[in-house]
Amino acid sequence: MDSKDNLPTPCAGIRIGDMAPNFSARSTLGPIELADYRDRWVILFSHPADFTPVCTTEFVAMAQEAAAFEERNCALIGLSVDSLFSHFAWLRAIRDRFGVEVRFPLVEDPSMAIGHAFGMLAPGDSDSATVRSLFFIDPRGVVRATTCYPANVGRSISEMLRTLDALQAVDRDDRLAPANWQKGGPLLHPVPTSLDEVYGAEAGGGWFLREEG
Ligand code: BEZ
């Protein structure tokens, strides 16, 4: 056996700056097409399987923060290989047990066609249980950030919101978001692109790291 065979499935394929591949699919809100979400931000995320503990906590937490994503003009789209009827049963079980309604679409991807198009699975990989990928897609359909977590660690909803806030803020003002940036905090000026800019910027402090304001 090649040593590569023991490595976990990488999240590869789609990279930052790529156009998100369009898809049409059945979802818990009826048929959807990704292209219909142009002019909105989209967070497309996959989960390994319905009726699993970590995935359930993620869906409860995301549904509880649905208004925060709406406020940011961001649609959530979940996806797994499970059938639409499995999705219905799981979301109903979540409502019954936690009193939380998941009102964003959960897409079925039984052939893994969407998963493969986004590089959520390695070519030839038949084990969907490795997949916990997430894509931030901007209103032009461009992938702006991705994350990839293993099946046994749930994602942070507050980090999803922070990343979304940061992407929107840097776009608005042509700025950079520093480490641990939070909404409303100071952004950084873009990097200089000429020596004149370097010398001009020196008056206001360090030329390679300048906070706004
Ligand atoms: C979970 O979401 O809890 C889970 C999913 C797949 C494998 C193991 C755990």
Side-chain angles (χ1 to χ4, degrees):
M1 185 194 280
D2 192 300
S3 62
K4 289 200 304 295
D5 294 340
N6 295 323
L7 294 174
T9 302
C11 286
I14 294 292
R15 301 204 293 202
I16 291 171
D18 287 347
M19 287 299 293
N22 191 30
F23 63 81
S24 305
R26 297 201 304 179
S27 87
T28 49
L29 296 193
I32 65 165
E33 182 171 351
L34 186 60
D36 290 342
Y37 289 81
R38 287 288 154 75
D39 298 329
R40 299 197 69 188
W41 286 80
V42 172
I43 294 179
L44 172 68
F45 65 99
S46 62
H47 66 276
D50 295 352
F51 295 102
T52 50
V54 177
C55 298
T56 300
T57 62
E58 287 189 332
F59 269 70
V60 169
M62 284 189 205
Q64 285 171 333
E65 290 291 349
F69 289 99
E70 266 312 308
E71 270 168 32
R72 291 159 171 84
N73 189 31
C74 181
L76 295 170
I77 304 178
L79 176 146
S80 83
V81 298
D82 300 281
S83 73
L84 186 60
F85 292 95
S86 167
H87 289 344
F88 286 148
W90 184 41
L91 297 193
R92 202 177 118 176
I94 287 175
R95 185 202 61 180
D96 292 349
R97 176 155 171 198
F98 299 98
V100 170
E101 291 204 23
V102 176
R103 287 294 183 180
F104 55 83
L106 175 48
V107 164
E108 66 167 3
D109 186 26
S111 67
M112 295 190 269
I114 304 169
H116 281 302
F118 276 82
M120 295 164 172
L121 299 138
D125 194 345
S126 60
D127 181 4
S128 63
T130 55
V131 178
R132 208 183 282 286
S133 301
L134 186 149
F135 300 85
F136 293 85
I137 303 170
D138 76 12
R140 296 168 302 142
V142 177
V143 173
R144 300 291 300 279
T146 72
T147 66
C148 183
Y149 279 55
N152 53 2
V153 176
R155 291 162 284 206
S156 160
I157 311 310
S158 54
E159 176 57 13
M160 286 165 57
L161 287 167
R162 190 196 77 90
T163 304
L164 185 59
D165 284 337
L167 289 167
Q168 293 180 346
V170 298
D171 278 8
R172 200 164 36 240
D173 299 325
D174 186 24
R175 293 287 190 264
L176 312 170
N180 296 327
W181 181 85
Q182 296 289 339
K183 192 172 187 174
L187 293 161
L188 304 175
H189 286 277
V191 291
T193 53
S194 71
L195 197 57
D196 282 343
E197 276 182 40
V198 169
Y199 291 155
E202 264 177 344
W207 59 268
F208 61 86
L209 198 174
R210 288 186 304 132
E211 237 178 44
E212 67 179 4

